[in-house]
């Protein structure tokens, strides 16, 4: 039996709800959609720096696929207006903090790091123990993460941590430049 609170959208009170049925598990995030000021600028950013490709377009919108994806689209970009204000999420309002995309190798993480630095988009680099992460912002100031996950078989002795500065070259030396990340974590192991 699961119990949780649901906020009433018209008041600040919460109702306690009890659910007896089993929950259907989510398998993955299918896609994300972002409101942007200039769809062409955002398409250029995500395709040039992160390797997305345009899957299809609609007036004022573009739908992108990540490299190697078979999904219809992984990221939607919808233009609202060039005069739109910046996101206040996390500063003055609730809202999404960031999206995170996973790369397969530390070599790929290094390559994206170089591109983000050249574009002036890299904000920070963090070692979370089990995850090696780059944090950046797109042209509209929306936060995103690009990360490499330590494979399950190499997790022994790796502690999950709040985050310390990432020393990418040391991690490449430790795990190998081309070790596939996320095996047994986000990538299923076939038995």
């Amino acid at each position: 039996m699961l119990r949780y609170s649901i906020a009433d959208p018209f008041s600040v009170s919460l109702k306690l709800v009890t659910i007896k049925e089993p929950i259907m598990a989510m398998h993955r995030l299918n896609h994300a959609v972002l409101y942007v000021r200039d769809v062409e600028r955002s398409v250029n950013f995500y395709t040039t720096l992160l390797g997305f490709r345009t899957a299809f377009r609609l007036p004022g919108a573009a739908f992108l696929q990540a490299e190697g994806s078979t999904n219809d689209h992984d990221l939607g970009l919808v233009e609202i207006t060039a005069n739109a204000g910046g996101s206040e999420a996390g500063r003055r309002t609730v809202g999404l903090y960031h999206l995170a995309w996973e790369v397969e190798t530390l070599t790929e993480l290094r390559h994206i790091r170089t591109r983000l630095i050249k574009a002036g988009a890299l904000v920070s680099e963090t070692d979370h123990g089990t995850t090696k992460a780059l944090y950046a912002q797109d042209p509209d100031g929306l936060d995103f993460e690009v990360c490499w996950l330590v494979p399950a078989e190499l997790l022994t002795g790796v502690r999950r941590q709040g985050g310390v500065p990432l020393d990418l070259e040391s991690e490449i030396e430790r795990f190998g430049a081309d070790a596939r990340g996320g095996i047994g974590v986000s990538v299923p192991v076939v038995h």
Side-chain angles (χ1 to χ4, degrees):
M1 182 181 318
L2 176 69
R3 295 174 61 119
Y4 65 97
S5 297
I6 297 178
D8 179 340
F10 301 107
S11 73
V12 293
S13 66
L14 297 176
K15 292 189 324 188
L16 189 59
V17 177
T18 302
I19 299 176
K20 295 180 181 179
E21 307 86 44
I23 296 174
M24 300 299 291
M26 299 294 166
H27 294 279
R28 66 184 179 111
L29 177 66
N30 182 271
H31 66 272
V33 178
L34 304 175
Y35 288 118
V36 298
R37 291 183 188 100
D38 180 333
V39 74
E40 296 307 322
R41 178 180 69 176
S42 293
V43 166
N44 184 57
F45 179 87
Y46 285 101
T47 58
T48 302
L49 295 181
L50 298 181
F52 283 87
R53 62 184 174 274
T54 302
F56 62 98
R57 308 273 314 231
L58 295 173
F63 299 87
L64 311 179
Q65 286 179 315
E67 183 64 35
S69 174
T70 57
N71 201 17
D72 177 67
H73 68 283
D74 299 293
L75 180 64
L77 302 168
V78 178
E79 186 173 299
I80 50 174
T81 174
N83 298 327
S87 173
E88 292 290 323
R91 291 181 286 282
R92 295 177 10 129
T93 64
V94 296
L96 181 68
Y97 173 30
H98 68 259
L99 302 172
W101 289 289
E102 184 179 337
V103 295
E104 196 165 270
T105 67
L106 287 169
T107 295
E108 291 170 342
L109 193 64
R110 180 199 285 151
H111 181 70
I112 288 174
R113 177 184 180 270
T114 300
R115 287 175 172 220
L116 292 172
I117 289 170
K118 285 182 182 177
L122 186 66
V123 173
S124 65
E125 305 171 57
T126 304
D127 182 348
H128 295 287
T130 59
T131 306
K132 314 308 172 185
L134 306 176
Y135 293 92
Q137 289 185 337
D138 77 358
D140 288 296
L142 300 174
D143 295 312
F144 65 91
E145 174 184 348
V146 179
C147 61
W148 180 82
L149 279 63
V150 176
E153 68 182 32
L154 301 177
L155 284 174
T156 304
V158 174
R159 288 185 40 232
R160 189 171 291 197
Q161 53 198 24
V164 297
L166 175 63
D167 181 344
L168 187 54
E169 295 309 313
S170 291
E171 298 303 315
I172 288 172
E173 193 174 301
R174 178 180 181 187
F175 294 108
D178 297 317
R180 286 192 60 217
I183 304 298
V185 179
S186 58
V187 178
V189 177
V190 180
H191 294 284

